[in-house]
Amino acid sequence: MEKSRGRTLGGLQENKKFCEYLEKSVTPFHCVLNSEKILNQNGFCELNTESKWKLKKGGKYYWKFNNSYLFAFSVGTMWSEGQGFKLAAAHGDSPCFRIRSGKDKQIGQYVFLNTEGYGGANFTSWIDRPLSVAGRVCLKSKCDEKVDVRIFDMERAIAIIPGLAVHFTKEDYEYQEKNSKRIPLFAITENAEMSDKMFEKMVADELEVEPEDILDYELYVYHYAKSKIIGRKGEILASPRLDNQTGTYGIIQAIAGTENETGFSAAVIFDNEEVGNISKNGAFSSVTPTILKLIYEGLGCNELQYDKELLKSSVISVDAAHGFHPVFAEHYDKEHICILNRGFCIKQASSQAYATDSTMSGMIQQLCRKENIPFQKYMNHADIRGGGTLGSIISCVLGVKTADIGVPILSMHSSLETMGMEDEDSLIHFLRVYYDAV
């Protein structure tokens, strides 16, 4: 793989790595773990907050928080204060189902996972699909103030949400929009009097612990499906979680390959974007400004110098964009449509649902034209809000210039989404150019 200013995907091996990342990053916890592996392979060192950071020019570092937040950064060998930082941000969570801890939901001999929706998913698309479970499990430990944390993945299909036969409904499956109806079936018992915690027993067996050792968990149901390269020439990719593992993979690959000798480059993976960003791991959190202060302190800067650095900094927020669906053309602004395999999208909205202003858009366009990187401009239909992302939030939290960009996809928030194979390449290429630009 070329380290910077070159193509990153497109070859068979690189496409395989991208698909493997998508398949393994089944929860925000796994997304961080897989991103950490890429950083370690490229010379990044993990930091902790137990001692004061003494950072070096030319150093590459990362810091994790609460298993689903990751901040990676590199300091140029000739870095000096007064330049600001360049940060790319993405979220690692995707719409899905979260399992409620406690009892299973048993109806006669049928045993269901007790779930609730996480984020604004197209939950109808989850019906009649093979489903698995992954997430974080907290176990008893010998220290009362700490728990034994395990990041866990069943790695096989264990459940399904059976649909109702079309013969029984003429209401266009409206029942499937009800939480009480769209629950995953994972066991059929011999009688209706069996244990009401079969699922927890199953998790305990997988972890090789006793059920009573499980204190609590954050486990998610995910679509157990491989990423598939399809199309006449292999130009299409169908995969779960393109929103937003296209973003997390893009920013991690970009910072792992940047070679800016004079700048300070950073990449951050947030959690909980799909439920409003309001969490300690989300974009609204004070964790990111705290870490930035620690970094500048470790580089010998005081608080006033840090504040001045913010004024010269910029953020690129990376989240999947709405690709144009020609069958439903009426939902798009025909002057601002984004076609698959035509490059990543620059997203703008007068409502500030996207943070991009003309200065940031202009900067991105100049860099792309200079390096011959394909890009497109996206705006929602004037009568449709179309969603938002974390760009406007991190822009407010840090008070820095921000732009929202992303790879165009179809079927956003479906259990299986679709993108063009070439667009991740344009995204990573641009992010490396952004980091390396002087």
Side-chain angles (χ1 to χ4, degrees), residues 84-117:
F85 57 80
K86 294 179 180 179
L87 186 150
H91 67 89
D93 61 320
S94 301
C96 60
F97 291 91
R98 178 170 166 173
I99 300 173
R100 297 182 173 191
S101 58
K103 296 181 179 180
D104 306 323
K105 185 170 289 188
Q106 190 163 347
I107 306 173
Q109 279 73 39
Y110 290 17
V111 185
F112 298 85
L113 298 175
N114 192 357
T115 58
E116 61 179 318

Side-chain angles (χ1 to χ4, degrees), residues 302-320:
N302 59 36
E303 191 167 345
L304 177 59
Q305 290 171 317
Y306 165 70
D307 290 339
K308 289 181 177 179
E309 293 291 324
L310 285 176
L311 297 176
K312 296 182 179 181
S313 301
S314 63
V315 174
I316 301 293
S317 164
V318 185
D319 197 356

Side-chain angles (χ1 to χ4, degrees), residues 196-209:
D196 56 8
K197 290 193 174 183
M198 293 178 65
F199 174 68
E200 287 192 6
K201 174 66 166 61
M202 187 178 187
V203 172
D205 289 343
E206 290 286 325
L207 294 174
E208 298 182 339
V209 299

Side-chain angles (χ1 to χ4, degrees), residues 80-184:
S80 61
E81 65 179 87
Q83 304 175 72
F85 57 80
K86 294 179 180 179
L87 186 150
H91 67 89
D93 61 320
S94 301
C96 60
F97 291 91
R98 178 170 166 173
I99 300 173
R100 297 182 173 191
S101 58
K103 296 181 179 180
D104 306 323
K105 185 170 289 188
Q106 190 163 347
I107 306 173
Q109 279 73 39
Y110 290 17
V111 185
F112 298 85
L113 298 175
N114 192 357
T115 58
E116 61 179 318
Y118 176 88
N122 174 5
F123 289 112
T124 302
S125 70
W126 288 73
I127 293 171
D128 301 323
R129 302 288 186 271
L131 305 175
S132 190
V133 171
R136 177 169 66 178
V137 181
C138 293
L139 306 174
K140 291 178 182 178
S141 72
K142 295 179 180 180
C143 177
D144 291 341
E145 294 183 2
K146 291 184 178 180
V147 296
D148 179 9
V149 176
R150 307 280 184 92
I151 306 303
F152 166 76
D153 184 2
M154 285 283 189
E155 295 187 286
R156 66 184 189 277
I158 66 163
I160 192 167
I161 303 174
L164 181 63
V166 70
H167 312 73
F168 297 149
T169 177
K170 296 181 180 179
E171 283 72 40
D172 195 27
Y173 283 70
E174 66 175 13
Y175 79 94
Q176 295 172 354
E177 296 303 315
K178 298 177 181 177
N179 277 312
S180 61
K181 302 294 185 184
R182 54 180 187 232
I183 49 178

Side-chain angles (χ1 to χ4, degrees), residues 221-234:
V221 176
Y222 69 91
H223 184 184
Y224 186 73
K226 298 289 186 181
S227 300
K228 294 293 184 181
I229 298 174
I230 58 177
R232 185 171 67 93
K233 296 182 178 179

